[in-house]
């Protein structure tokens, strides 16, 4: 929170008093600055090096760093760009270096990322899809779509063509796109219009809202360095509780099937990525690992595997396909491609 001392704590007892006393002594010596002071320092830097271009919009205490704050700037000449850097008013440095060079690098990175975001949003808009959010870790965009058995094949190719255009001009190994239902998309938080587009589309609250229900993740491989629209496959990504419920249903059903041949069978807790069968949204295929018999009190990692097909609730569809040995003892797992 702006203006709050970085080391302020409230604690009962001698230990708490010692910490508080130490913090007070450090503050008295001028060794502990506040986020407010770092923000003021960042504003001076912006005025000195990028007058009329950068403006501070947020400042956060850095953890676990004991000094300095992360400063977020907007750019007056680029509404999509966000610039982030560490500023330490007490030391007079940025990221422990001279501030001019750090600020130049941060601005260049902000402009570059904003241009990439515009390319992404533009490519999907031309394909008829609004980009709702962008995962800051993977770069995967979120769009609204509700595939059915009748439409999923065509939809995956359509989205693959969007991804190809988005990634054109760069050497890629693949791409992924998240598909959330229009109902969930319609209830997403709007975000602050005053924030740069890059900041608004990667907001934690927005990503949490979109991921609070099950959604599809479409994945594409590359051919000759370009996304191959025909390579699309999809999987369901579920919130933790739903994922646990699905896994329990599948493992229980597989154990019941295997028990006929192996009365003491144990099914591993290992969770494979369950992919939708081509042309469907109601049939999932994945591996289930098991041990034919318990190994003393050791947890079953699974040295054998079956390939199973289920409905979205984890009920088995058809027969299990025996894969055989996939691990020696407790060694590395070696599953064949699906």
């Amino acid at each position: 929170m702006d203006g709050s001392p970085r080391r302020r704590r409230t604690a009962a007892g001698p230990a708490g008093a010692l910490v508080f006393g130490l913090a007070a002594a450090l503050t008295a010596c001028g060794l502990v600055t506040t986020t407010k002071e770092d923000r003021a320092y960042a504003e001076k830097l912006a005025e000195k090096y990028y007058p009329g271009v950068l403006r501070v919009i947020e400042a956060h205490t850095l953890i676990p760093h004991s000094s300095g704050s992360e400063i977020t700037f907007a750019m007056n000449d680029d509404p999509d760009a966000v610039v982030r850097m560490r500023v330490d008013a007490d030391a007079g440095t940025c990221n422990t270096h001279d501030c001019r060079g750090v600020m130049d690098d941060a601005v260049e990175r902000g402009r570059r990322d904003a241009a990439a975001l515009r390319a992404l949003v533009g490519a999907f808009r031309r394909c008829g899809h609004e980009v709702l959010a962008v995962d800051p870790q993977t770069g995967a965009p979120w769009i609204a779509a509700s595939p059915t058995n009748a439409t999923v094949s065509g939809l995956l190719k359509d989205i693959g063509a969007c991804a190809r255009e988005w990634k054109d001009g760069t050497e890629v190994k693949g791409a992924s796109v998240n598909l959330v239902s229009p109902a969930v998309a319609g209830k997403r938080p709007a975000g602050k219009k005053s924030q740069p587009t890059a900041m608004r589309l990667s907001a934690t609250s927005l990503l949490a809202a979109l991921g609070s229900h099950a959604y599809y993740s479409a994945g594409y491989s590359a051919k000759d360095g370009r996304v191959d629209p025909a390579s699309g496959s999809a999987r369901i990504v579920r919130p933790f509780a739903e994922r646990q419920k699905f896994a329990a249903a599948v493992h229980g059903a597989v154990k019941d099937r295997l028990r006929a041949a192996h009365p003491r069978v144990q099914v591993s807790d290992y969770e494979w990525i369950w992919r939708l069968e081509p042309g469907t949204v109601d049939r999932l295929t994945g591996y289930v690992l098991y041990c034919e018999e318990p190994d003393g009190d050791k947890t079953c990692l699974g040295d054998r595997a079956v390939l199973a097909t289920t409905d979205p609730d984890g009920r088995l569809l058809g027969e299990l396909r025996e894969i055989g040995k996939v691990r020696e003892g407790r060694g590395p797992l070696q599953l064949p491609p699906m």
Side-chain angles (χ1 to χ4, degrees):
M1 182 179 297
D2 292 357
S4 61
R6 186 169 285 106
R7 293 184 180 177
R8 181 180 295 161
R9 296 288 186 271
T10 300
L18 178 61
V19 171
F20 180 80
L22 178 60
L26 290 173
T27 302
C29 295
L31 296 179
V32 176
T33 58
T34 66
T35 302
K36 184 177 181 179
E37 291 167 341
D38 288 335
R39 180 174 184 142
Y41 182 56
E43 289 171 343
K44 290 179 181 179
L45 291 172
E47 183 59 30
K48 180 179 181 179
Y49 298 125
Y50 288 90
V53 177
L54 294 181
R55 69 180 189 280
V56 176
I57 55 177
E58 283 189 0
H60 298 287
T61 301
L62 281 166
I63 298 174
H65 297 298
S66 59
S67 62
S69 303
E70 182 184 75
I71 306 296
T72 302
F73 302 87
M75 302 189 72
N76 293 326
D77 60 353
D78 190 338
D80 298 325
V82 60
V83 176
R84 291 187 175 92
M85 56 186 283
R86 177 187 172 190
V87 167
D88 188 344
D90 185 61
T93 61
C94 299
N95 293 352
T96 71
H97 292 79
D98 178 73
C99 286
R100 180 58 194 265
V102 172
M103 183 168 272
D104 288 345
D105 290 344
V107 168
E108 181 182 353
R109 184 168 56 253
R111 291 194 187 282
R112 185 173 61 247
D113 291 347
L117 177 62
R118 284 189 288 272
L120 163 61
V121 171
F124 277 85
R125 185 172 290 153
R126 287 188 290 274
C127 291
H129 299 287
E130 177 190 0
V131 173
L132 309 174
V134 179
D135 188 316
Q137 303 299 320
T138 66
W142 293 71
I143 64 173
S146 288
T148 64
N149 284 350
T151 65
V152 64
S153 295
L155 181 62
L156 286 176
K157 288 182 180 178
D158 172 57
I159 294 171
C162 299
R164 185 185 181 96
E165 182 180 347
W166 159 38
K167 293 288 189 178
D168 262 359
T170 62
E171 185 75 16
V172 297
K173 294 182 179 180
S176 61
V177 181
N178 297 322
L179 319 180
V180 66
S181 77
V184 172
K187 295 178 181 178
R188 72 190 188 279
K192 299 177 182 178
K193 292 184 178 180
S194 60
Q195 291 180 333
T197 309
M199 190 174 180
R200 192 171 64 251
L201 291 185
S202 62
T204 301
S205 58
L206 172 59
L207 295 172
L210 296 177
S212 63
H213 296 76
Y215 61 90
Y216 298 102
S217 177
Y220 299 87
S221 59
K223 186 176 182 180
D224 298 326
R226 302 181 71 195
V227 172
D228 179 8
S231 68
S233 64
R235 61 188 177 92
I236 299 176
V237 181
R238 308 170 192 262
F240 179 76
E242 289 185 30
R243 189 170 70 248
Q244 294 294 96
K245 183 178 179 181
F246 173 80
V250 173
H251 292 170
V254 168
K255 187 173 184 178
D256 287 342
R257 290 275 185 96
L258 293 175
R259 191 177 282 130
H262 310 288
R264 303 180 65 205
V265 68
Q266 288 190 327
V267 173
S268 170
D269 290 335
Y270 177 85
E271 290 185 40
W272 182 249
I273 296 174
W274 289 79
R275 300 194 182 279
L276 295 176
E277 286 198 348
T280 76
V281 294
D282 56 6
R283 294 176 65 91
L284 294 82
T285 300
Y287 289 113
V288 177
L289 307 185
Y290 70 95
C291 304
E292 292 182 345
E293 293 192 356
D295 184 7
D297 58 357
K298 294 180 180 179
T299 301
C300 171
L301 297 181
D303 61 349
R304 305 186 70 86
V306 291
L307 191 64
T309 299
T310 78
D311 68 9
D313 294 322
R315 289 185 286 264
L316 291 178
L317 301 175
E319 298 299 319
L320 300 176
R321 176 184 158 195
E322 181 65 49
I323 302 301
K325 201 82 168 177
V326 293
R327 191 199 308 269
E328 289 298 330
R330 303 182 75 80
L333 185 62
Q334 296 180 323
L335 284 167
M338 287 176 55

